[in-house]
Amino acid sequence: MRPVIPYVTAALLFGLGVYGVLRRRNAVLVLMAVELMLNAVNLVLVTADTTVRAALPHSGQVFALFVIVLAAAEIGVGLAIVLQLYRLRASVTVDDVPLTERPPAERVGGGGEPASAAPEGAAR
């Protein structure tokens, strides 16, 4: 078997997955792009296992199974995060996700202004 075709296919799949992660705004599509990259890695592992005679037999296939298990766990956790994000924001766009926590003063105020921004003449 010529290993060039599976390696080129895996490189194309991985490149498509990287493009999907960098360009997509929808969190579900980003998770699908990550799965595409993991499948490309599986293809490389299985191809390398069949073409290279390693000291450990079927080691590439075993690593591919570990990657599949890891991908299943990643999808479970990722979809739980996406569902919680949709419940809180009614949107799953990645651009709207706050990456930092707001300071406590902004959370307490609630009316658009921080709680510490009281007028100068107001009694405390």
Side-chain angles (χ1 to χ4, degrees), residues 2 6 9 15 23 44 60 93 100 103 110 117-118:
R2 299 186 66 96
T9 305
R23 290 291 295 172
V44 167
T93 57
T100 59

Side-chain angles (χ1 to χ4, degrees), residues 1-122:
M1 178 177 137
R2 299 186 66 96
V4 174
I5 294 172
Y7 285 139
V8 169
T9 305
L12 290 173
L13 284 175
F14 194 83
L16 194 62
V18 168
Y19 176 77
V21 167
L22 294 177
R23 290 291 295 172
R24 297 293 176 190
R25 289 183 167 173
N26 191 341
V28 176
L29 293 178
V30 170
L31 287 175
M32 288 175 59
V34 169
E35 288 294 321
L36 198 61
M37 290 190 297
L38 289 174
N39 285 330
V41 169
N42 280 341
L43 183 58
V44 167
L45 287 172
V46 171
T47 304
D49 185 44
T50 58
T51 58
V52 177
R53 301 286 179 224
L56 296 173
H58 306 296
S59 59
Q61 295 173 9
V62 171
F63 283 128
L65 285 176
F66 281 130
V67 170
I68 291 171
V69 169
L70 204 131
E74 176 254 336
I75 282 297
V77 172
L79 285 178
I81 291 171
V82 168
L83 285 174
Q84 187 64 26
L85 180 68
Y86 183 75
R87 286 182 188 158
L88 291 175
R89 303 233 178 227
S91 173
V92 290
T93 57
V94 181
D95 295 339
D96 296 339
V97 177
L99 298 178
T100 59
E101 188 177 346
R102 290 181 286 173
E106 289 182 17
R107 282 187 272 155
V108 174
E113 292 183 6
S116 61
E120 291 181 17

